[in-house]
Amino acid sequence: MGTPGRSRPTRLIYLIGANCVFRPASLSTASLLLTMTKQTRKRSKACNKAKHRLHHKTKHHQRDIDQVHDDLKNPPVLKIDEDLPGRGMYYCISCAKYFINKEAMDKHVLTSVHKRRLKKALENPHTQKDAEAAAEMTAETYPKIDQTGR
């Protein structure tokens, strides 16, 4: 157990919230306050937040509505693919997602996210002509003037 005649220093346990501090009896009150201080979380830098935002944006990119609109007109042919969830057989065209089985796909169809994307995809997508008309940049056609000036 140790050498005879030597006693171990007694330790006192102080509970501070969820933190336990073991303190030998010889410590002063000032050093006790230093050991009892609350540790704060290290703050992340702004540049790391921007990197995370960019990574999240590219990783979770969804197909654009005009692409989904074209897919609804001409549905893609589903082929068996071992790498995709559910071997590629359960695909939601409006959300561009693969599902693992029929039950998961049926549950997805009932969600409001699916209904919202389907409603947007069924509308006619905006075209370049619409944008030019809104900015009043249309190419006006004038009647042809014959050589007599009329």
Side-chain angles (χ1 to χ4, degrees), residues 40-53:
T40 58
R41 184 175 66 89
K42 192 174 181 180
R43 296 184 188 266
S44 62
K45 309 249 184 312
C47 61
N48 293 339
K49 289 180 185 177
K51 289 176 188 174
H52 173 71
R53 193 178 311 123

Side-chain angles (χ1 to χ4, degrees), residues 127-145:
T127 60
Q128 185 63 30
K129 281 186 176 181
D130 295 339
E132 289 174 356
E136 298 178 358
M137 294 175 49
T138 58
E140 297 179 14
T141 56
Y142 296 104
K144 292 186 178 182
I145 301 173

Side-chain angles (χ1 to χ4, degrees), residues 69-107:
H69 183 78
D70 294 339
D71 286 346
L72 286 173
K73 285 182 184 175
N74 304 322
V77 178
L78 298 178
K79 297 177 184 175
I80 294 177
D81 188 1
E82 295 291 329
D83 297 332
L84 296 173
R87 297 176 62 188
M89 299 310 310
Y90 306 104
Y91 180 69
C92 176
I93 297 173
S94 61
C95 299
K97 285 185 181 181
Y98 288 95
F99 295 94
I100 198 162
N101 55 21
K102 182 73 174 155
E103 291 81 25
M105 187 171 173
D106 292 340
K107 190 174 180 181

Side-chain angles (χ1 to χ4, degrees), residues 14 31 61 64 72 136 150:
Y14 293 93
S31 61
H61 176 73
D64 294 324
L72 286 173
E136 298 178 358
R150 294 184 184 178

